[in-house]
Amino acid sequence: MAEIYYRKLWIKIISVTLGFSLIPLVALGVTIYYQFSVSYSDKVYENLRTLTENRRSSLDLFFEERISQLVTIAHTHTLKQLSDEAYLDKLFYTMQTRSRSYIDIGVIDIEGRHRAYIGPYPELKEVNYRREDWFQAALSSGVYISDVFLGYRRFPHFIIAVMSRSGDQPWILRATINSDIIDNIVRAAMIGKNGDAFLINKKNILQTSPRFSGEIFGNPEGPDFSRIVEAQVTAYKINGKSYLFAATQLVNTNWILVVKEDPREQLTPLLRARTIAFFLFLGGILLIVIGAYFTTRSMMRELIRVDRERAAGEEMVIQSSKMAALGKMAAGIAHEINNPLAVIGEKAGWIKDLLADENAGSTENLKEIEEAVEKIERHVDRAKKVTHRLLGFARRMEPILEQVDINRTLRETVEFLENESRFRNIRIHIQSQPDLPVLQSDSSQLQQVFLNILNNAIDAIGKNGEIRIRTSYLPASNEIMIEIADNGPGIPKENLGKIFDPFFTTKEVGKGTGLGLSIVYSIIEKLGGRILVASEVGQGTTFTIYLPVR
Amino acid sequence: MAEDYTILIVDDEEDFRETLVKRLQKRNLKAFGAESGPKALKLMEAMTFDVVVLDVKMPGMDGIDTLKEMKKKSPRTEIILLTGHASLESGIQGMELGAFDYLMKPVNLDDLIEKIRQAYERKLVQEQEKS
């Protein structure tokens, strides 16, 4: 019962302790993690947006520069000037020294024919562009940038064409640019191992060669950004994996820059922080749990100890008042018996005195009478011993120091139990060292000690057995050793540590208070001695008491 | 040693008292009996006793009160307390009041006579010291 009560109490205490420690910790952890992950995700989105815008600016700047260069040349020269191939060659050379992006340059008149051409493909001079889309578009809008195409050259390139006029005659300055340059600028936006970046046109056709998202002139993997009007960042799943895509429209062309990012790579620091935080959190919880466990355990142990002590104290008070009442009764009975015993003794003595005066042989029965009187005297003496012992036990005194002969005290105690042991056929042997030193101790308390141990031994044996008592003096430690051994059933190992605990009993309910051995222990301790127990199941139990000789 | 000392046995239990007196007398001791404290005190006015054997528990005036009165009347008389009761307090109290010793009933006659002799010896020693 008590164990269940203490267990429930312990569970309550540990639950409250853990609850009050863990709930705020968990709440704090979850809140911090949530806030951290939200702001970190925001930061990842923002970074991607910024990166994409930076790349867009670089591309725009590139186109801006090329267009300005060509526009400047077209508007500061006449058709006639630029039709001079030697002059154009010089000009192209100058342009090439600043930027290697140009493949060739050509001047085309309104009829679509080359007036001049500088570049690695002189055969192009014979081509007429009048019906080409880019030619018409350049004439109508003034500046035209084409999509990337393979064309006659069989490698990806695009053209920039600007229109100018000499008098009424419009003409076109056209330059071809290797799209490797664009690829290089775009590639700088590829982040991490799985990141990608590419340009698409308004038909969602790839204008550059991405790392993973498809082939140039094909459709890219992922969402279609060809119709976006403003920059956007969006999450998209490919093969079950989530990616972030940012897209933005270039200013000078119809192209759209798309940057793809693996959020797991970008979130690595966050994930690492989360793992560290998780383990710290786990460690914290573990520490709290361990701390709570040990603190509450020791609290409970202390509580149980205090409870037990208090209960033992109360029980001792009850026990001693019971003993006091019993003592009074015993003393009363002893007194009432002692008086008639005294009369019987005296009368028997008187008969003996009188018989001594009679002539020997004067009565045949004289010898018989003498014997009878002797027996009366002997039994009065025996009864006297019983009443005196009863009185000795009834006396509950404060511990006093007196001269104690251990052998005599043991003998008296054994005599007291003689009837009980004879009835149960238990033989009690005393093997005492005759010249034991006299102890300064309390004989009635020691009697109680021996009585409790012997009573337990008799109870343990039940019937038919023996108890061996041995006393000896140990000069080395100046102690008297008293050994009380029975051949009873013995004490199981798991109980051996508890037998001196108050209220520990293996006797039936109502038969034992569980106080006997605890009283023994406290008396021996009070008298400055010590008590040891050794037991073997099936062999018996031996109590060994050591008392100091002062 | 001369055994001409007088002994007074004070006990309310007649059978015990009378028999004890007779047994002492049979051993040539001058023993007398009294059934109560007041009777004993009255007897002490008539004659001197060397040793009194006094029962502690008696109806009316008990042994302790009797002891006090006796010590007032005849301080040199040695008194041995005798009781069937094991109350150590009354024994200690009696010793403090000047009793020679304290014996428990039933008492072995030889032990009692020995105790009476010791008491008488002490009385003699004390009387010699005084004179």
Side-chain angles (χ1 to χ4, degrees):
Chain A
M1 271 315 283
E3 265 185 31
I4 296 172
Y5 164 74
Y6 286 124
R7 194 159 184 80
K8 277 186 177 170
L9 186 67
W10 177 64
I11 289 170
K12 230 185 253 178
I13 292 173
I14 203 162
S15 309
V16 170
T17 313
L18 287 181
F20 276 101
S21 333
L22 292 185
I23 290 170
L25 183 71
V26 170
L28 188 73
V30 168
T31 312
I32 289 176
Y33 177 70
Y34 177 74
Q35 291 299 333
F36 186 61
S37 70
V38 164
S39 53
Y40 203 86
S41 299
D42 286 353
K43 197 168 175 294
V44 169
Y45 269 65
E46 195 50 47
N47 281 351
L48 183 60
R49 194 192 301 274
T50 311
L51 173 81
T52 311
E53 286 303 319
N54 284 345
R55 280 300 95 188
R56 184 192 56 74
S57 302
S58 302
L59 287 165
D60 277 338
L61 192 67
F62 174 80
F63 288 114
E64 197 73 53
E65 276 178 358
R66 298 300 165 277
I67 291 166
S68 325
Q69 208 170 21
L70 292 174
V71 167
T72 309
I73 292 168
H75 285 266
T76 52
H77 293 83
T78 61
L79 180 62
K80 198 178 163 204
Q81 282 174 312
L82 293 181
S83 296
D84 177 358
E85 277 198 345
Y87 181 74
L88 190 63
D89 190 27
K90 227 165 114 185
L91 205 63
F92 187 58
Y93 177 77
T94 313
M95 283 161 71
Q96 285 278 57
T97 55
R98 305 296 305 162
S99 164
R100 288 246 160 228
S101 55
Y102 294 106
I103 299 168
D104 57 12
I105 194 166
V107 179
I108 299 155
D109 63 17
I110 187 72
E111 299 300 325
R113 285 190 307 254
H114 263 117
R115 286 290 190 87
Y117 171 82
I118 302 297
Y121 305 101
E123 60 272 26
L124 284 176
K125 277 169 118 174
E126 304 309 318
V127 179
N128 190 306
Y129 292 113
R130 209 158 64 120
R131 298 191 188 283
E132 294 287 329
D133 286 344
W134 64 264
F135 187 76
Q136 295 303 325
L139 280 179
S140 61
S141 59
V143 175
Y144 176 77
I145 301 174
S146 74
D147 281 350
V148 175
F149 61 102
L150 291 174
Y152 180 79
R153 297 170 178 80
R154 313 313 304 165
F155 63 84
H157 64 282
F158 62 94
I159 57 166
I160 300 175
V162 296
M163 187 200 71
S164 187
R165 284 173 189 279
S166 293
D168 287 342
Q169 288 286 311
W171 52 274
I172 300 227
L173 180 64
R174 190 210 66 155
T176 308
I177 295 173
N178 191 339
S179 64
D180 277 357
I181 308 292
I182 305 293
D183 272 15
N184 285 338
I185 299 172
V186 169
R187 206 167 287 135
M190 294 175 182
I191 325 161
K193 285 180 184 163
N194 300 318
D196 210 345
F198 49 85
L199 289 170
I200 53 166
N201 65 10
K202 285 289 180 191
K203 289 172 187 158
N204 197 26
I205 302 289
L206 282 164
Q207 301 298 303
T208 55
S209 295
R211 275 207 289 189
F212 310 108
S213 305
E215 293 286 334
I216 189 165
F217 306 131
N219 290 115
E221 207 177 32
D224 183 355
F225 291 107
S226 57
R227 295 190 198 291
I228 61 157
V229 282
E230 58 181 18
Q232 67 177 65
V233 178
T234 179
Y236 190 81
K237 272 192 177 173
I238 297 170
N239 298 331
K241 280 187 177 178
S242 189
Y243 292 94
L244 283 180
F245 284 89
T248 185
Q249 168 78 53
L250 300 193
V251 177
N252 295 299
T253 70
N254 287 328
W255 298 344
I256 292 140
L257 172 66
V258 179
V259 179
K260 178 185 159 194
E261 191 178 81
D262 184 349
R264 282 168 298 282
E265 287 180 355
Q266 299 313 305
L267 291 174
T268 304
L270 174 70
L271 296 178
R272 198 184 306 127
R274 186 175 69 178
T275 310
I276 291 169
F278 179 72
F279 280 109
L280 280 176
F281 185 67
L282 218 64
I285 287 177
L286 203 70
L287 272 178
I288 289 173
V289 170
I290 291 171
Y293 178 84
F294 284 109
T295 315
T296 51
R297 266 282 135 139
S298 75
M299 242 169 78
M300 287 312 295
R301 261 201 299 274
E302 189 61 17
L303 187 71
I304 291 169
R305 191 185 62 76
V306 170
D307 276 2
R308 278 201 178 151
E309 271 178 13
R310 202 190 54 212
E314 281 168 5
E315 200 63 24
M316 290 243 193
V317 170
I318 292 169
Q319 185 72 5
S320 60
S321 60
K322 225 167 28 182
M323 290 296 281
L326 215 69
K328 261 185 195 164
M329 205 175 84
I333 291 170
H335 181 240
E336 290 311 316
I337 291 172
N338 276 348
N339 278 327
L341 265 185
V343 176
I344 295 167
E346 288 311 313
K347 289 293 180 195
W350 182 231
I351 293 170
K352 224 166 112 184
D353 289 350
L354 293 178
L355 282 177
D357 290 347
E358 294 296 319
N359 281 335
S362 67
T363 310
E364 278 185 23
N365 293 332
L366 193 67
K367 203 168 169 56
E368 284 288 316
I369 297 169
E370 270 179 344
E371 268 180 28
V373 171
E374 280 286 345
K375 277 194 178 152
I376 291 171
E377 279 193 321
R378 206 188 312 152
H379 285 275
V380 164
D381 204 48
R382 199 174 133 202
K384 183 180 89 176
K385 274 185 187 167
V386 173
T387 55
H388 283 195
R389 237 179 350 244
L390 205 58
L391 287 166
F393 275 108
R395 235 188 277 143
R396 286 284 292 180
M397 293 176 297
E398 284 304 302
I400 52 161
L401 282 183
E402 57 191 338
Q403 305 264 318
V404 178
D405 176 351
I406 284 291
N407 286 337
R408 206 178 109 188
T409 311
L410 267 169
R411 229 171 15 246
E412 281 172 7
T413 315
V414 170
E415 273 171 24
F416 197 70
L417 291 165
E418 243 164 22
N419 271 336
E420 178 82 6
S421 58
R422 201 181 305 124
F423 173 70
R424 299 203 194 198
N425 194 27
I426 295 169
R427 290 164 58 85
I428 303 178
H429 306 274
I430 304 181
Q431 184 198 334
S432 50
Q433 186 176 322
D435 52 349
L436 278 187
V438 173
L439 271 185
Q440 284 291 318
S441 201
D442 185 327
S443 69
S444 64
Q445 295 217 340
L446 281 175
Q447 218 158 22
Q448 169 134 44
V449 165
F450 301 144
L451 188 74
N452 286 357
I453 294 175
L454 287 168
N455 257 331
N456 277 359
I458 289 172
D459 279 346
I461 293 170
K463 268 184 180 168
N464 309 322
E466 59 175 23
I467 297 171
R468 291 187 170 273
I469 302 171
R470 197 163 65 87
T471 61
S472 65
Y473 174 61
L474 310 172
S477 54
N478 196 25
E479 283 174 318
I480 288 178
M481 185 202 75
I482 304 117
E483 196 180 83
I484 302 176
D486 68 56
N487 66 346
I491 304 165
K493 262 199 181 114
E494 64 268 27
N495 287 348
L496 212 52
K498 303 184 213 161
I499 58 163
F500 294 116
D501 289 355
F503 309 119
F504 178 78
T505 181
T506 55
K507 294 179 186 174
E508 283 171 50
V509 175
K511 286 237 167 135
T513 58
L515 278 174
L517 286 178
S518 101
I519 288 172
V520 164
Y521 191 83
S522 65
I523 290 176
I524 294 292
E525 219 175 32
K526 209 155 55 184
L527 296 175
R530 64 208 154 91
I531 179 164
L532 302 176
V533 60
S535 190
E536 189 86 25
V537 172
Q539 302 282 315
T541 305
T542 304
F543 284 92
T544 314
I545 298 167
Y546 298 89
L547 292 169
V549 180
R550 284 184 235 267
Chain B
M1 183 173 292
E3 300 197 325
D4 56 349
Y5 48 88
T6 48
I7 307 159
L8 178 62
I9 309 292
V10 188
D11 198 310
D12 60 315
E13 183 75 51
E14 193 190 342
D15 286 340
F16 175 77
R17 184 185 70 240
E18 291 301 310
T19 315
L20 186 57
V21 168
K22 277 195 273 183
R23 291 186 77 195
L24 290 172
Q25 285 170 350
K26 189 147 184 61
R27 281 161 181 73
N28 295 322
L29 293 167
K30 290 178 195 155
F32 301 85
E35 63 184 82
S36 68
K39 288 254 170 87
L41 289 164
K42 209 164 193 184
L43 214 56
M44 282 178 91
E45 284 170 16
M47 58 187 292
T48 318
F49 293 99
D50 296 301
V51 179
V52 176
V53 177
L54 180 60
D55 189 18
V56 173
K57 210 176 176 197
M58 288 185 292
M61 191 177 190
D62 72 4
I64 298 296
D65 291 337
T66 311
L67 170 70
K68 286 181 198 163
E69 290 303 313
M70 280 179 175
K71 279 288 165 186
K72 265 188 230 165
K73 262 196 179 117
S74 170
R76 289 186 184 176
T77 301
E78 291 296 344
I79 297 164
I80 296 166
L81 288 172
L82 192 62
T83 183
H85 202 279
S87 155
L88 193 78
E89 287 75 28
S90 59
I92 292 166
Q93 200 187 349
M95 303 287 277
E96 281 169 0
L97 290 170
F100 174 71
D101 207 347
Y102 175 83
L103 286 175
M104 270 179 69
K105 277 188 191 174
V107 66
N108 182 289
L109 187 68
D110 295 334
D111 293 345
L112 179 64
I113 292 171
E114 181 56 34
K115 200 59 83 183
I116 291 169
R117 277 204 185 116
Q118 287 171 4
Y120 177 61
E121 272 168 33
R122 189 171 86 163
K123 183 175 181 263
L124 287 182
V125 170
Q126 283 181 350
E127 276 171 355
Q128 274 171 8
E129 281 172 1
K130 288 257 164 99
S131 63

